[in-house]
Amino acid sequence: MARKRLYRSKKKLGQIPGTVVYTGERSKEKLSLEAFDFDKDSFTEKQLATIEDCFDYKNTNTVSWVNLNGLNHVEAIENLGKHYDIHHLVLEDIVNIAQRPKVDDHQTYLFVVLKMLYYNNNNQLVSEQVSFILGKNYVFTFQEAEGDVFDPIRDRIRNAKGRIRNMQADYLLYTLIDAIVDHYFSIIEILGDKIEDLETDVFTNKTSDDLSIQIQDLKREVLRVRRAVFPLRDIINKIEKNDTALINSKTIHYFKDVYDHLTQVSENIELHREVIGGLMGMYLTSISNKMNEVMKVLTIMASIFIPLTFIAGVYGMNFAYIPELQYKYAYFVFWGVMVVLFLILLYYFKRKKWL
Amino acid sequence: MARKRLYRSKKKLGQIPGTVVYTGERSKEKLSLEAFDFDKDSFTEKQLATIEDCFDYKNTNTVSWVNLNGLNHVEAIENLGKHYDIHHLVLEDIVNIAQRPKVDDHQTYLFVVLKMLYYNNNNQLVSEQVSFILGKNYVFTFQEAEGDVFDPIRDRIRNAKGRIRNMQADYLLYTLIDAIVDHYFSIIEILGDKIEDLETDVFTNKTSDDLSIQIQDLKREVLRVRRAVFPLRDIINKIEKNDTALINSKTIHYFKDVYDHLTQVSENIELHREVIGGLMGMYLTSISNKMNEVMKVLTIMASIFIPLTFIAGVYGMNFAYIPELQYKYAYFVFWGVMVVLFLILLYYFKRKKWL
Amino acid sequence: MARKRLYRSKKKLGQIPGTVVYTGERSKEKLSLEAFDFDKDSFTEKQLATIEDCFDYKNTNTVSWVNLNGLNHVEAIENLGKHYDIHHLVLEDIVNIAQRPKVDDHQTYLFVVLKMLYYNNNNQLVSEQVSFILGKNYVFTFQEAEGDVFDPIRDRIRNAKGRIRNMQADYLLYTLIDAIVDHYFSIIEILGDKIEDLETDVFTNKTSDDLSIQIQDLKREVLRVRRAVFPLRDIINKIEKNDTALINSKTIHYFKDVYDHLTQVSENIELHREVIGGLMGMYLTSISNKMNEVMKVLTIMASIFIPLTFIAGVYGMNFAYIPELQYKYAYFVFWGVMVVLFLILLYYFKRKKWL
Amino acid sequence: MARKRLYRSKKKLGQIPGTVVYTGERSKEKLSLEAFDFDKDSFTEKQLATIEDCFDYKNTNTVSWVNLNGLNHVEAIENLGKHYDIHHLVLEDIVNIAQRPKVDDHQTYLFVVLKMLYYNNNNQLVSEQVSFILGKNYVFTFQEAEGDVFDPIRDRIRNAKGRIRNMQADYLLYTLIDAIVDHYFSIIEILGDKIEDLETDVFTNKTSDDLSIQIQDLKREVLRVRRAVFPLRDIINKIEKNDTALINSKTIHYFKDVYDHLTQVSENIELHREVIGGLMGMYLTSISNKMNEVMKVLTIMASIFIPLTFIAGVYGMNFAYIPELQYKYAYFVFWGVMVVLFLILLYYFKRKKWL
Amino acid sequence: MARKRLYRSKKKLGQIPGTVVYTGERSKEKLSLEAFDFDKDSFTEKQLATIEDCFDYKNTNTVSWVNLNGLNHVEAIENLGKHYDIHHLVLEDIVNIAQRPKVDDHQTYLFVVLKMLYYNNNNQLVSEQVSFILGKNYVFTFQEAEGDVFDPIRDRIRNAKGRIRNMQADYLLYTLIDAIVDHYFSIIEILGDKIEDLETDVFTNKTSDDLSIQIQDLKREVLRVRRAVFPLRDIINKIEKNDTALINSKTIHYFKDVYDHLTQVSENIELHREVIGGLMGMYLTSISNKMNEVMKVLTIMASIFIPLTFIAGVYGMNFAYIPELQYKYAYFVFWGVMVVLFLILLYYFKRKKWL
């Protein structure tokens, strides 16, 4: 089985800084642009054909959300960047899918990168990068491919559920980040189940598979989740503390809530790490216990039959004169002695609690 | 045995933020509202029928304590929230029983969440969430179900014992929190007993049960207590440092006392963790020691009888000419040599301290 | 053997805060009040009969030291507290012998709690709580029972040795704390000796006692010392940094000296912990080494005699036609082959360095 | 195999501070001076013959980059230092190749030391020191020998690719540092591959080589990379925070980008350390598992044949009267019993899952 | 072997604070006073007979360095202290050789204590305390006995090498401290060699010595070096940050250089600790590997010969009717079967890679 790499290479060596180069593997992905534009009363949703179609959202009074799927379409992203005055280093970060989660405040817009986590159909943990640009009245999201955890939010915009239609772009950013963070809880839950399964395996293990490889792999998985989640707390904290005009003071409360959730997720991850850390020790003791059992069987068998065999050997000797041999009931006495010896040794091992 | 989950899921994925949804399992619980209203001279205690009955406590000069049991009654809690101007995120936190302990200062009221710990009848550690809202002249407490550690305080209010009737709502909050923290000491004590029992088991262990599972489980239990207790210290610290008008400077001294107690509890938890951490090592050495003992028995038995058996085998050979066989006392000489060999080996193992 | 508890319960559950209740076990202790009153030129020492006798020290120009033994006499302590305006939470802390070391600045007096450590006659580590109240011109010390480390100081006061008679109450507090801290060094030394003894046992261990229990117990002892010593550094630091009028700037130098000593003690404790931490690993390798030795003996014995026995068995067979049996010197050839085989195997094990 | 030293000695004991002495081993290296001088429009590249040839770059309006290979030519470096007013401690640091990465701000110039990492032809990790001096309009780089990771930058200057020709010396410094940091990613990748190979070896290990030496060596290699990388983050942070006139505010963004990359590299190193830390545990369990397997084979063989041999021994005895011996089919009955016993034991081990 | 104590006792219990009592073991040491007095142009060096001879250096314009060997001469030191207004706690610290490295700023002079490390003739690590008093125009150094690392500095003063004669007393202090720190590098190097030797021993270990004691001892040695070195960094940092008039701003650069060296030494110590920490694990796996090898030999020998012996036993039975016995070539068939069985088992173990 090909083990999952822990990292991905950042970029080509010697590449010019600020060059917008897609570093992922989905280079055949179709560009998809999905736009929501809404205020308290009205709402439009459409698929945009070209990147130029979303240039109009720059100066409107409504809140706009444009979701772009397909980071391989770098020219489209560069065009968007030019029109909305996005720094070229930001554009480079958007298409470089090995970014560490971070937030950058560029005065006129806020740039946030984070990791969406989910288990794919092969039950492998996938970490997909999602970038956000929050402007005065718009949010752009950038994803590698279709499929995300934002459907409930789309639904809320369509049906004006909750506060979303009454709030500004900063609240939209909050709900999008919150959706991703919420999903972390299900990841944590799956990891918890895997740990419990592995614990059960360790205790009942009768197969000869080496469980330590599974323990190590699970530890790695937890480390990968940790890498995605931990920087996020600093990010939310920065947003919360930030005095940028892009985040209203009313929305701060909501970001604090996300922060609390992240603290909870982080605590659970640390807990998982501690438990996995203990698993290796448990496994080692369970192996040692099993060896003990094997050794006891051997010792009991050998200790009982080796003396008996010796005595049998004695009476197989060909000395000219062995008095016992002539005694008529000697054979039966022999068996009697054997049985008594056997019982004594049995009792000895019983008392030692080896049986 | 179903092992206790380490976490509980926060909320439904995609749920609208600020939605007041009960996340626990006791959805059939009856709503119970218990109210204490007192000042220096007077005192009333009653069971309220509906949530509206406690709306009057908002603007009185007495101190009021309303204890609500039954977090499944979300509308009642929402009504209360509306009347007392509680933020909807706070209400969500009250009924979401997977909160991390925290304090939030909302100017007109202080919101505190913490965990009440106790062992239930099945000797399982239960962590129940208790939320507090401290207003100018009232304290609300929210619990999932009946049964708590507040009876001594009820008693003190009824009988005007101690300072409680002479002080304000902030002192009432202090006594309630102090009651919960006091109870942590008994949890610590029980954990200490469990650890000592397990230590004794590890040293005297003659059963084949794998103690490592018990060590791991106990470690988990300590981790769960730690999770409930550790955030609390920050909370009390925040309350202490806080310059809110809701806490009088005279009460700060009492919160400092709670802080000291929490420091003590935390230290004990860390001590427990260290001792449990050492237990696994002790268990491993005890297994190895036992294996050593098993191996010694085997080695002694085999080392003594294998050479003897060989010699017996020699004289069982059918060579035409073996001079010893004809010698009359050969058989007795044989036994003599056997016994001497036996004694030499015995002495050898004795000197090696294997016997 | 009853193992030493790591903690003691704080107080009765549900007890009213600020209630002065003695939590120790020496409830039969006699009240003893010993008073020193001195200035540069004069000096009196007496045993006081009742607590009221020390009320006069409140407003004198001399420095007074009253040492109270017998924390079970709570009324006496409460009376003292009333007369000297001591906060009731402080009084509760004095008689609650499970306090964590701490300092509290109450403007008109300074309250310090710390732990006096010594080994009792059964060679068990005892941690006894000593509380100090430093007023403008007096120091009160509170101890559970007679017997302390203050005798050299009593002597210095009596004989005007050193600076003590020329200095104020704050210097007296310093000398008392210094005496306790000095004693920690001897505790550290005893722990060091115990560790070395245990190390020697681990290397030369031929007994079947499980040393891991002793290692774990010693670790616990170090942890207990650590608990008493570590908070003290913060305390001295607070006193040093404190701008209270109770401590003269000239005395600060002396507290800095205590701080340096505590840093040294703390470092030694950490060193002890590291060494003990390594002991378990050493013990495990020593067990494994011993098992290796046992296994080698078994393997050598079995590997040498099993083939020999097989050959002897071959010539004990009753086949009608075994040519060797008829050969006259066959038996001697047999022995020759045996000896050669034996020597070859011996050489083999020698080369493998098993012998 | 000579293992790689973890450190190199700093300097001769007793050496006068500020003495410029080369501490490396390449004392035969030829001095090579390569100069780039450019602005937006023009560009010259030449090999300088003597150090005096680069004195002219001090007061020009163009950006100059002089790269010096051959730290053994200390007089040349001292001459340069005199002309450009470089502190003699800085010159000592340049030629002392055991420097820890650091940055020093000397007002008129900035001194940066860092480590270039690469694997040489023998697949050994080499850490080569590179020093930078950033003046108002020049950058000096000092290397021990030819061969570096700066070729893409030389190329960019020649062909005016990217922003490099439009920017100042501080941007040049950034690109040079960025080139080195970029190279760290490939080091991380190689380390990751080595770890995975070692993991595979641990699981499938059938050779008798001790893998723990390889694990320890790999751990050391990661530690060496860590030592080169970790101080660098502080350095970039200092440059970023620095209010020196040498770094333009526009360039700060680029240094932030380097900082992000370093954070990523550092995280990967820590991840590698955790995984390697777990490897030793995996190796230990895999050894124990293998021993278990060995023990099982022994136990099964011995447990089956020892009783059988005993019975065969019984009927080899020479008692005058053994009734079974005369029974005609006794021999066949004997074989029958043997087979049945054999099958019972086989079944027993099967049920124990040892087979 | 007497193991080296990890600590030395601070002082006599109950000793009056500020009492100048020598705590070392070299109470017979002769007092030696060596004085250097120099400025840019002139220089005198002499051995002083009595402590009073150095009283003249108090108010000169030259820089004076007095080195005192023999801390047992407490009166001399007290006299010096009186004349130069040294605080009595400082004098106590000078002769108390168990000081932790520290710096104290007493306005008119700076007091520095640190540890000189070297290996003595028995290859044991010796940590000798050196105290420094830096006044306006003098430096006093206090050592327990003759022999130090200051000879190169004496030489530099004599021959006016380097800057030493042109600089003030603070630079002299720097060079003295630098000499001690430089010597740490050679300690680190020796420790590195010891670690490598031990690693080689662990891998090739065929002796029965328990290497874990050597590992533990080396760990202790590293801890002792660490204790001497780590506090020093804080000290240099304090001196650097200090705004005392005793240190010129020009000398700060030099102290920064010492700080860098200490950082390097500290990093190497931490590296050494990590490697030693891993050694125990390597040792444990190497023991387990060896046991595996032993077990394999036993298992192979036993598994091959036990079945063969059984078959030989069968044909040694005395049943009246065993058909094979009469068959003429039975014996040769028997040997054939034996050889085939032997080869099958050999092949089996070969395939299992046990051979």
Side-chain angles (χ1 to χ4, degrees), chain C residues 96-272:
Chain C
N96 176 351
I97 60 159
Q99 280 308 311
R100 199 176 172 264
K102 66 169 179 178
V103 63
D104 275 336
D105 185 3
H106 290 255
Q107 262 74 52
T108 56
Y109 60 93
L110 202 71
F111 174 56
V112 180
V113 188
L114 39 82
K115 300 287 180 185
M116 189 162 69
L117 297 177
Y118 58 89
Y119 279 94
N120 69 6
N121 297 332
N122 300 327
N123 203 18
Q124 285 187 306
L125 182 67
V126 178
S127 160
E128 204 180 299
Q129 177 164 315
V130 184
S131 308
F132 300 84
I133 289 180
L134 167 70
K136 201 165 52 65
N137 61 335
Y138 60 85
V139 173
F140 291 148
T141 52
F142 302 86
Q143 303 185 49
E144 226 181 332
E146 305 237 350
D148 55 32
V149 298
F150 297 148
D151 281 337
I153 293 156
R154 290 187 183 92
D155 208 47
R156 267 185 253 157
I157 297 176
R158 284 179 199 127
N159 304 315
K161 277 197 287 192
R163 281 159 208 82
I164 198 159
R165 291 270 289 272
N166 303 320
M167 308 286 276
Q168 294 305 306
D170 56 345
Y171 185 84
L172 177 60
L173 177 72
Y174 151 70
T175 52
L176 294 168
I177 293 179
D178 190 49
I180 288 173
V181 170
D182 263 20
H183 211 83
Y184 290 162
F185 281 94
S186 65
I187 299 291
I188 292 290
E189 215 157 322
I190 293 171
L191 282 175
D193 290 346
K194 285 188 173 190
I195 290 172
E196 271 170 48
D197 289 355
L198 205 49
E199 273 191 328
T200 313
D201 283 2
V202 164
F203 294 128
T204 65
N205 168 42
K206 293 200 157 132
T207 71
S208 62
D209 292 344
D210 196 333
L211 286 171
S212 66
I213 196 169
Q214 293 180 42
I215 296 171
Q216 183 87 338
D217 278 351
L218 194 52
K219 192 171 142 192
R220 249 174 221 239
E221 213 161 288
V222 171
L223 287 177
R224 284 182 66 212
V225 174
R226 196 171 170 249
R227 268 183 97 187
V229 172
F230 269 52
L232 204 47
R233 246 197 318 174
D234 286 345
I235 291 169
I236 302 300
N237 198 27
K238 268 190 200 163
I239 292 177
E240 223 188 87
K241 294 276 145 63
N242 209 349
D243 52 354
T244 175
L246 291 164
I247 307 279
N248 299 316
S249 64
K250 267 180 70 182
T251 321
I252 296 291
H253 262 302
Y254 292 95
F255 278 104
K256 269 188 189 158
D257 199 50
V258 173
Y259 186 83
D260 283 351
H261 295 168
L262 278 169
T263 307
Q264 237 175 303
V265 173
S266 305
E267 267 193 351
N268 280 316
I269 292 172
E270 289 306 287
L271 224 52
H272 282 352

Side-chain angles (χ1 to χ4, degrees), chain B residues 255-269:
Chain B
F255 277 106
K256 270 187 188 158
D257 200 51
V258 174
Y259 186 84
D260 284 350
H261 295 169
L262 278 170
T263 308
Q264 238 175 303
V265 173
S266 305
E267 268 193 351
N268 280 314
I269 292 172

